[in-house]
Amino acid sequence: EEADKDEPLILREGDTVEDALEKLPGDMKERFKKAKVSGPSSKFPEQKVGMEHVLDDEDTLELNLS
């Protein structure tokens, strides 16, 4: 699916993928397998990252859940 840019997830400076998962509804944190990030915090588009990756403003986060 395309990124939802109409309703972005609001995070604080220094928040990680894990922090984003905690803000999302349901049991996404427990179902987390991997993530891809594109944007200022990534070294290249669709960089594979773990829960500890610090996100930046304007990042796009793609989650892979089990």
Side-chain angles (χ1 to χ4, degrees), residues 11-53:
L11 299 171
R12 295 183 183 270
E13 185 174 342
D15 276 356
T16 63
V17 171
E18 183 174 15
D19 295 320
L21 288 166
E22 289 174 356
K23 288 191 170 206
L24 293 170
D27 62 347
M28 290 191 185
K29 186 174 177 182
E30 289 77 29
R31 297 174 41 216
F32 177 81
K33 288 171 71 176
K34 62 183 175 182
K36 292 181 186 177
V37 173
S38 295
S41 75
S42 64
K43 295 177 183 174
F44 49 87
E46 296 188 7
Q47 178 185 357
K48 292 180 185 177
V49 298
M51 280 197 201
E52 69 285 346
H53 181 82

